[in-house]
Amino acid sequence: MTVAYLVNTAPVTSSTFIRREMAALEAQGVTVRRFALRRWHLPLVDPLDIADQARTHYILSGNLLGLAFAALRQAGTDPAALFRGAWLAARLARSGGGAVRHAAYLLEATYFLRALRREGIAHTHVHFSSNATAVALIARTMGGPSYSFTAHGPDEFLTAAEDGLAVKLSGAAFAVAISHFCRAQLLRFGGTQYRDRIAVARCGLDLAEFVPSVRPASMSRTLVCVGRLCPQKGQVFLPAAVAALRTTEAPFRLVLIGDGESRPAIEAEIARNGVGDLIELRGWQSSETVRAAIAASRALVLPSFAEGLPIVLLEALALERPVVTTTVAGIPELVDDACGRIVPPGDGAALVGALRDILRADDATLAAMGRTGRARVARHHDLRTLATTLRALFAAAIAREGQVDVRAGRAGVGREAAEMEM
């Protein structure tokens, strides 16, 4: 079975979960062809990401002549299919986003369609329901293979109507939601009539890569925060929390790993609160370095305002480190006080209290949280189970291919697939 994985930009430092997912499928005998619309504009730091970039076929970046040639060939060989694609692109444009953007999606889809046929690809899977899913849908309408997508949130649900989520879901063989919260958002914005084609399949980890440290968490006075520095992650609240704790708690420090548009605001808050001696910004790091930093920490903190379900929370729990995070989206399906602390987003006092609890917790309490967290990840977020689920869904979609009306997009999955959950 050969499938295509299509994403908007790849690889990026914050999407290692997609790389892991593809590798797990390949370990189960699925041939995965990697496609992306664009290259990431920043340098990659992880050797595995760098290797994956070399295997990725880029549709838009540096390929304007290829896009034009593909459109001309499509017009010459199958103008009716091109017309169907153009009609659908126009329909999506009326929802929002503009004609120019969707004309670009049409060009990208014609190029992608030729690549799919050339490589004998039987199904396309997309991560996130935004522009890359539009490309897969248009390619499907022009006669390409079935497609599916994984929805994560939060941003894709903010623009669900203008991005035509309902149309994308109607044409998909199935959709994957990474949590029950995410499934509810797909039903809300995509339509409850598609409930039978939405499967809950939680993001996964290979636990063999996340070996807990023999050093007890209580021996560390370092808190670590990992993620893109952006408004959604709420890191701008951390300097004030650190300042509130420094006068009452034994010495501790906070390490932020990641980078992004909020870095100047975070640096300004560090200076305003006078905690430059307690907070270190390390920028992007390799996956191996991130694992080592979490393993050496007392706990991971992620005070997010908006999320899907952050992979770094899985990683910390798998390493038997407690987490301090917020009651956002799918996070409460993973985290409770048995494996950390969970507080309302934006509640600075609650965040300070949660961090104080972790800083004062004894070894037995921290160890119990760690064991509970790892057991929870093993039960619900095993990467092999995710790959098995996806492989079955792909195979079912391919098997049904002869029964699907491409133009109407009447692809679906059975109820048993929709109810599959890790």
Side-chain angles (χ1 to χ4, degrees):
M1 175 169 52
T2 301
V3 301
Y5 260 58
L6 175 65
V7 295
N8 178 29
T9 306
V12 301
T13 303
S14 58
S15 64
T16 54
F17 61 93
I18 300 177
R19 166 167 53 76
R20 291 170 179 160
E21 182 177 297
M22 293 187 294
L25 284 164
E26 289 171 329
Q28 294 193 12
V30 178
T31 300
V32 179
R33 302 294 188 216
R34 292 153 171 77
F35 291 85
L37 303 184
R38 299 175 179 82
R39 289 178 180 268
W40 199 35
H41 66 285
L42 295 176
L44 295 169
V45 298
D46 193 303
L48 294 176
D49 284 337
I50 294 170
D52 231 39
Q53 186 179 66
R55 302 174 62 187
T56 301
H57 189 148
Y58 291 96
I59 295 174
L60 183 58
S61 296
N63 191 36
L64 293 180
L65 287 178
L67 294 173
F69 178 75
L72 290 173
R73 285 292 301 268
Q74 188 69 34
T77 58
D78 194 350
L82 185 61
F83 177 80
R84 292 197 303 271
W87 179 86
L88 179 57
R91 179 185 173 192
L92 291 170
R94 286 195 296 272
S95 298
V100 173
R101 187 173 109 183
H102 287 85
Y105 295 166
L106 175 62
L107 290 176
E108 292 161 6
T110 57
Y111 181 88
F112 184 48
L113 177 62
R114 290 179 58 81
L116 292 171
R117 289 173 171 167
R118 183 172 59 251
E119 299 197 30
I121 291 169
H123 182 81
T124 298
H125 189 66
V126 189
H127 269 273
F128 299 99
S129 61
S130 52
N131 51 348
T133 298
V135 171
L137 168 60
I138 295 170
R140 170 65 165 165
T141 301
M142 292 192 294
S146 58
Y147 75 93
S148 54
F149 63 89
T150 296
H152 298 260
D155 293 346
E156 59 194 304
F157 298 132
L158 298 177
T159 58
E162 65 186 71
D163 283 346
L165 177 59
V167 178
K168 294 170 181 175
L169 186 55
S170 72
F174 64 91
V176 172
I178 65 166
S179 66
H180 285 291
F181 175 87
C182 183
R183 184 174 190 270
Q185 299 309 298
L186 285 174
L187 292 172
R188 174 188 176 191
F189 294 111
T192 56
Q193 66 270 33
Y194 303 118
R195 62 176 65 88
D196 289 343
R197 67 180 65 174
I198 302 173
V200 175
R202 303 179 187 275
C203 295
L205 293 182
D206 181 354
L207 288 178
E209 295 182 7
F210 294 85
V211 180
S213 172
V214 296
R215 179 183 180 185
S218 61
M219 292 182 63
S220 174
R221 300 296 295 176
T222 298
L223 304 173
V224 64
C225 177
V226 181
R228 185 164 63 93
L229 304 184
C230 62
Q232 296 96 316
K233 300 287 185 183
Q235 298 104 329
V236 73
F237 265 62
L238 291 173
V242 169
L245 291 164
R246 75 178 305 165
T247 58
T248 62
E249 305 309 310
F252 70 97
R253 59 198 295 265
L254 171 67
V255 172
L256 278 75
I257 297 177
D259 214 332
E261 63 268 33
S262 288
R263 183 172 187 133
I266 294 168
E267 290 174 335
E269 282 295 295
I270 291 172
R272 188 174 74 83
N273 285 279
V275 290
D277 58 324
L278 299 181
I279 299 180
E280 178 185 356
L281 280 74
R282 292 186 181 175
W284 290 118
Q285 303 290 322
S286 69
S287 297
E288 183 178 357
T289 302
V290 170
R291 282 197 298 272
I294 295 173
S297 74
R298 188 179 190 88
L300 179 130
V301 54
L302 192 66
S304 299
F305 299 155
E307 284 288 359
L309 183 60
I311 300 299
V312 70
L313 295 181
L314 306 182
E315 295 177 349
L317 294 177
L319 290 167
E320 295 190 358
R321 290 300 182 255
V323 300
V324 176
T325 188
T326 52
T327 54
V328 169
I331 294 177
E333 297 177 32
L334 172 67
V335 179
D336 57 25
D337 284 353
C339 59
R341 293 292 182 266
I342 185 164
V343 302
D347 189 333
L351 177 62
V352 169
L355 293 174
R356 180 178 288 115
D357 284 351
I358 294 298
L359 289 170
R360 294 182 178 181
D362 58 25
D363 182 61
T365 300
L366 293 174
M369 288 180 178
R371 289 192 300 270
T372 298
R374 183 174 173 88
R376 198 166 290 178
V377 172
R379 184 165 62 250
H380 296 295
H381 295 275
D382 188 290
L383 186 59
R384 294 169 299 180
T385 304
L386 172 63
T388 299
T389 299
L390 290 173
R391 185 182 63 180
L393 290 168
F394 294 157
I398 293 168
R400 286 192 308 273
E401 185 64 3
Q403 303 170 18
V404 173
D405 182 338
V406 173
R407 299 184 192 185
R410 291 195 293 266
V413 297
R415 181 172 299 275
E416 68 281 1
E419 294 177 350
M420 292 174 75
E421 179 184 350
M422 294 169 54

